[in-house]
Amino acid sequence: MSIFEYNGSAVVAMVGKNCFAIASDRRLGVQLQTIATDFKRISKIHDRLFIGLSGLATDVQTLYQRLVFRHKLYQLREERDMKPETFASLVSAILYEKRFGPYLCQPVIAGLGEDDKPFICTMDSIGAKELAKDFVVSGTASESLYGACEAMYKPDMEAEELFETISQALLSSVDRDCLSGWGGHVYVVTPNEIKERILKGRMD
Amino acid sequence: MLTQLSTNQDPFENRNRGTRKCRRKKMGLVGKGFAIVAADTSAVHSIMLHKNNEDKIMLLDSHKLVAASGEPGDLISFEFGGLIRVEYVQKNVSLYKFRNGIPLTTAAAANFTRGELATALRKNPYSVNILMAGYDNESGASLYYIDYIATLHKVDKGAFGYGSYFSLSTMDWHYRSDMSVEEAIELVDKCILEIRSRLVVAPPNFVIKIVDKDGARDYAWLQDVTTAAV
């Protein structure tokens, strides 16, 4: 079993009309054993920027702490929040710093940029950015997620429809992956509000 | 007794030991205003039982308990490595209290421990699994699960070791978030019974400690086997 599959994870982000949604599963496992069913993989960097980290849980926590630190410093120096594109470059640089002893996680970054234009991207564990216009996925369930998202995604969805789509895509994909699941955690972010919801799926 | 060699290739398995699971059982759970931690009390090296009344649950300060276990391996210093780390955390927790006048919260102590484990992970990793239980006046009782690779999670019930396969399932069925001390002890007893009945290498003796608003203290020493007097 690969070290990326040690804890099990599934993260997906989708673009809608002036909004985005980011969702993850909630399982924290140690190979075949489930330790917790309320593990948080998605974290808020600021009101219009979220990062979801899949992969080894210890590196998820370490990397998140480093990124929050860097963003807080940025806020002190620049007196404003980081743009999503800038943040993605920051994450990429931090990951590549550890090129020969990497953080074993794959981030999914989702944010609202200038003019409320949604921005999503993912990268591998050494910081190779992959921008997308529609959706990005990562984690042990990534292959199922690619299929489900490709089938269910439509451009320019409103917030409610986007929530339905991303939830169905997440739940149906993690049902095919034994290492992720135990519910879902979905954030739907519009310029005015952040809606956080917990999904109850197949609890196995 | 044969130990199985695992075939995973993760970079942290740089010892020729068996699976990451060990024979040191620990479990903990949170009830109404208290947290309980139980651990086996066997000090084992390879096939030999050195002592069967070893206390593996240390007091971090007046209102915190740490149950730490090292992995079985070729080196004896391993287990000492685990205990030395806990003492290091203990002293740092006290230092904070002396410097700042107030004790660390359980969450802060758990995060500090995780930080130490995470920093050492890519330099000189030590494989200590930790269950940290504590009581804070503001937030009540809490239990933190810290893996040997520094995964931190706040849990209501947790367990390490081969016994976790049995105790986690038992706790999943019987656990309620507002259990009284008596109910929690009954549940711990059920878990210990399950471990003793079903685990082929079940340790005979256990210690149970409790932490609540009155502090951390021993609750019970369950003894099935006493050593011969020498």
Side-chain angles (χ1 to χ4, degrees):
Chain A
M1 197 189 249
S2 135
I3 190 64
F4 288 103
E5 295 164 10
Y6 187 75
N7 293 121
S9 52
V11 183
V12 56
M14 272 190 190
V15 161
K17 189 164 179 157
N18 292 338
C19 65
F20 68 85
I22 183 167
S24 78
D25 74 320
R26 305 187 80 206
R27 178 181 180 271
L28 174 68
V30 169
Q31 293 184 313
L32 57 96
Q33 191 181 48
T34 302
I35 300 297
T37 56
D38 56 358
F39 188 68
K40 229 170 62 94
R41 290 203 162 80
I42 299 175
S43 323
K44 189 173 89 159
I45 302 292
H46 61 74
D47 279 339
R48 292 156 65 100
L49 180 56
F50 282 74
I51 180 165
L53 290 154
S54 67
L56 194 65
T58 177
D59 284 345
V60 162
Q61 291 172 331
T62 304
L63 190 60
Y64 168 66
Q65 287 172 348
R66 278 195 73 183
L67 291 170
V68 160
F69 168 72
R70 293 294 299 263
H71 183 254
K72 282 186 176 172
L73 261 183
Y74 183 94
Q75 274 179 327
L76 285 171
R77 289 180 178 139
E78 304 254 338
E79 293 178 0
R80 65 183 178 90
D81 291 330
M82 235 190 230
K83 283 193 227 143
E85 295 85 357
T86 317
F87 185 72
S89 297
L90 171 68
V91 179
S92 176
I94 285 179
L95 290 173
Y96 197 79
E97 255 176 12
K98 304 274 183 197
R99 170 66 177 83
F100 299 106
Y103 289 118
L104 298 155
C105 32
Q106 290 116 334
V108 162
I109 294 158
L112 282 175
E114 314 258 289
D115 303 323
D116 300 337
K117 193 163 172 305
F119 168 87
I120 52 171
C121 90
T122 185
M123 51 192 86
D124 67 3
S125 57
I126 48 173
K129 259 189 289 183
E130 195 202 296
L131 307 173
K133 294 198 180 76
D134 39 16
F135 57 85
V136 288
V137 304
S138 99
T140 50
S142 56
E143 277 133 7
S144 319
L145 276 166
Y146 273 126
C149 290
E150 196 66 66
M152 300 185 197
Y153 180 80
K154 302 196 303 277
D156 288 329
M157 284 186 277
E158 296 290 343
E160 280 311 310
E161 200 190 347
L162 186 64
F163 165 69
E164 285 298 329
T165 309
I166 200 174
S167 306
Q168 292 297 338
L170 179 72
L171 289 179
S172 54
S173 311
V174 303
D175 283 350
R176 281 290 183 181
D177 177 25
C178 54
L179 296 172
S180 52
W182 281 94
H185 209 136
V186 186
Y187 290 86
V188 180
V189 181
T190 57
N192 305 316
E193 63 168 353
I194 301 169
K195 259 219 173 105
E196 181 186 343
R197 292 182 183 99
I198 308 275
L199 303 173
K200 189 171 164 133
R202 274 187 66 114
M203 300 308 227
D204 60 3
Chain B
M1 191 130 328
L2 297 171
T3 41
Q4 267 184 337
L5 286 171
S6 67
T7 53
N8 62 44
Q9 296 114 32
D10 72 82
F12 307 119
E13 293 278 328
N14 57 0
R15 291 165 282 267
N16 65 335
R17 56 177 163 82
T19 67
R20 63 178 172 74
K21 289 285 187 192
C22 61
R23 284 157 45 169
R24 285 124 176 99
K25 249 118 338 276
K26 294 182 331 263
M27 65 181 129
L29 59 101
V30 175
K32 196 167 183 171
F34 68 93
I36 282 187
V37 181
D40 74 302
T41 59
S42 326
V44 171
H45 285 116
S46 175
I47 57 165
M48 195 153 74
L49 185 75
H50 280 265
K51 63 193 282 220
N52 68 352
N53 55 359
E54 172 161 332
D55 190 358
K56 292 175 196 159
I57 308 179
M58 292 178 76
L59 259 62
L60 210 57
D61 72 10
S62 61
H63 284 74
K64 289 183 198 41
L65 288 172
V66 175
S69 78
E71 302 271 345
D74 302 330
L75 308 165
I76 290 176
S77 61
F78 235 16
E79 201 177 41
F80 297 146
L83 291 173
I84 284 169
R85 285 295 130 196
V86 176
E87 274 181 25
Y88 172 77
V89 172
Q90 210 177 36
K91 300 313 166 200
N92 271 282
V93 168
S94 307
L95 180 62
Y96 182 95
K97 187 171 164 192
F98 293 138
R99 277 184 177 155
N100 299 291
I102 51 166
L104 273 174
T105 58
T106 315
N111 272 289
F112 171 74
T113 309
R114 187 206 102 83
E116 290 299 309
L117 276 165
T119 312
L121 184 61
R122 284 175 158 87
K123 292 179 188 145
N124 188 16
Y126 41 88
S127 43
V128 187
N129 292 314
I130 291 171
L131 275 175
M132 190 181 287
Y135 184 88
D136 309 303
N137 287 325
E138 303 82 24
S139 43
S142 47
L143 180 67
Y144 288 88
Y145 167 104
I146 307 171
D147 211 342
Y148 74 104
I149 45 174
T151 308
L152 169 71
H153 197 66
K154 182 170 186 292
V155 292
D156 283 333
K157 48 190 176 338
F160 281 112
Y162 285 126
S164 65
Y165 288 125
F166 308 102
S167 38
L168 279 176
S169 320
T170 312
M171 288 195 280
D172 278 339
W173 183 244
H174 291 108
Y175 176 81
R176 302 274 172 277
S177 53
D178 55 352
M179 290 174 101
S180 67
V181 180
E182 293 74 28
E183 287 167 340
I185 294 294
E186 258 183 56
L187 178 50
V188 169
D189 284 343
K190 282 195 180 92
C191 295
I192 292 174
L193 183 65
E194 199 60 38
I195 290 170
R196 280 181 178 156
S197 323
R198 289 297 184 181
L199 190 58
V200 67
V201 287
N205 303 336
F206 286 83
V207 60
I208 304 177
K209 296 202 181 182
I210 188 170
V211 59
D212 60 14
K213 60 174 169 39
D214 301 321
R217 58 192 181 280
D218 280 17
Y219 187 88
W221 285 73
L222 302 176
Q223 231 147 342
D224 220 20
V225 172
T226 43
T227 40
V230 277

